[in-house]
Amino acid sequence: MSAKALRSAQTLRTITLTVLALIAFAGNSVLCRLALKSDAIDPTSFTLLRILSGAAFLAALVFVTQRTSEAIKKPPISSGNWPSAIALFTYAAGFSFAYITMDTGAGALVLFGFVQLTMILISLYKGTRLSLGEWSGGFMAFAGLAYMLAPGADAPSLMSFTLMAAAGVAWGVYTLRGKGSSAPLADTCGNFIRASVAAVGLSAIMLMLPDSDIHLNADGALLALASGILASGAGYAIWYTVLPKLDVSRAAVIQLSVPVIAALGGVIFSGEPITQTFMIASILVLGGILLVIISRNR
């Protein structure tokens, strides 16, 4: 194979893996909303099955990769750390409870918006000076998120918005804590295993409540497992494989497509409409984040 053909094949592989990772990220929103909207499972059980199955898949993947490489073999639990695991669990739990009533696209937009805003604010707290373009983009994104709460028939409830915002903040913290990891797959696996302990604890607490509504059927369990194994475990593994081949600005820009993909998934699989509020909020949030990325790159 010629050098040109080899480069073309590598580029095609990178593009294919990137698209699969983005679909997986959006798929989490679609699967969770589909399961909870149909009342096939409760949010506590969805969170538990998602984290447990994701941990099992990642542990198997780490075992296989260590077995076929010269890497030092060590148990997955020795990787990762508890603060990151708590952030991961907070994200997963808030995500699930928010999607009881929130539409797929709106939830993904709020999640993604607060992830980016959290990372910007933490960078600001650490002393990073923002340019006028970055300030403008941040305010624009925040205005878009605030606009979603404007009174109207398609406005999400304050509770679901708050839960998804908390999930976004937690995922932003988790992302920053994992930045620069020398073994992202192993660390993610270790964090999933630790988060499983918190998920089991939440399930135990919910079961002890007198008005507990823990329930699931086969469809709900399959959707939760698909979210944990395919959309979370496999999705993160694919993303960490392709991420070194993308520069930071390009990786940030392409993630802007996730809420859009999630919204389309909500239309196709859940019959959810794309409302005017969502469209305007998307333009403000995604446009603001894009402005931040462009300004920072300059």
Side-chain angles (χ1 to χ4, degrees):
M1 181 180 291
S2 66
K4 183 177 180 180
L6 181 60
R7 285 195 299 270
S8 298
Q10 290 174 340
T11 301
L12 179 60
R13 179 175 182 272
T14 299
I15 293 174
T16 302
L17 291 177
T18 301
V19 171
L20 288 175
L22 295 175
I23 292 174
F25 292 158
N28 269 320
S29 293
V30 176
L31 292 167
C32 185
R33 177 58 178 151
L34 188 60
L36 295 174
K37 183 179 181 181
S38 62
D39 201 31
I41 192 172
D42 65 278
T44 302
S45 299
F46 188 94
T47 303
L48 177 64
L49 288 179
R50 178 188 176 187
I51 295 179
L52 284 176
S53 59
F57 176 84
L58 289 168
L61 191 59
V62 169
F63 175 78
V64 171
T65 54
Q66 287 189 349
R67 188 177 181 181
T68 57
S69 69
E70 296 180 357
I72 299 175
K73 297 180 180 179
K74 58 180 181 179
I77 190 61
S78 62
S79 301
N81 55 78
W82 277 106
S84 293
I86 295 301
L88 174 63
F89 166 74
T90 302
Y91 147 73
F95 181 93
S96 298
F97 280 89
Y99 267 132
I100 295 176
T101 58
M102 207 169 199
D103 282 351
T104 308
L109 185 63
V110 173
L111 175 72
F112 185 82
F114 272 94
V115 168
Q116 299 300 319
L117 287 176
T118 298
M119 295 173 70
I120 291 171
L121 290 174
I122 291 177
S123 297
L124 186 63
Y125 174 77
K126 289 183 176 180
T128 302
R129 297 183 64 181
L130 301 184
S131 67
L132 178 60
E134 289 176 299
W135 277 112
S136 301
F139 280 120
M140 184 175 171
F142 183 79
L145 292 169
Y147 177 77
M148 291 190 67
L149 288 175
D154 55 349
S157 70
L158 180 60
M159 177 59 72
S160 62
F161 184 94
T162 302
L163 287 169
M164 193 61 81
V169 171
W171 189 253
V173 171
Y174 181 80
T175 300
L176 288 176
R177 286 190 58 83
K179 193 175 182 180
S181 171
S182 58
L185 184 61
D187 287 341
T188 302
C189 178
N191 291 330
F192 260 81
I193 293 174
R194 289 178 172 84
S196 298
V197 177
V200 171
L202 174 64
S203 299
I205 292 172
M206 295 299 289
L207 280 171
M208 290 187 293
L209 295 178
D211 56 347
S212 174
D213 187 30
I214 300 296
H215 66 277
L216 75 160
N217 57 32
D219 290 340
L222 287 174
L223 289 169
L225 292 173
S227 176
I229 296 172
L230 299 177
S232 297
Y236 299 156
I238 293 172
W239 181 246
Y240 291 135
T241 299
V242 75
L243 194 56
K245 300 176 178 63
L246 302 171
D247 59 67
V248 176
S249 59
R250 185 175 299 177
V253 169
I254 62 176
Q255 288 184 76
L256 295 175
S257 64
V258 172
V260 178
I261 297 172
L264 292 175
V267 172
I268 296 171
F269 297 103
S270 298
E272 298 172 347
I274 296 181
T275 65
Q276 180 179 344
T277 299
F278 174 76
M279 292 178 64
I280 294 175
S282 296
I283 292 172
L284 290 171
V285 174
L286 301 183
I289 293 171
L290 181 60
L291 180 57
V292 170
I293 294 169
I294 293 174
S295 301
R296 182 171 295 175
N297 199 35
R298 286 179 178 176

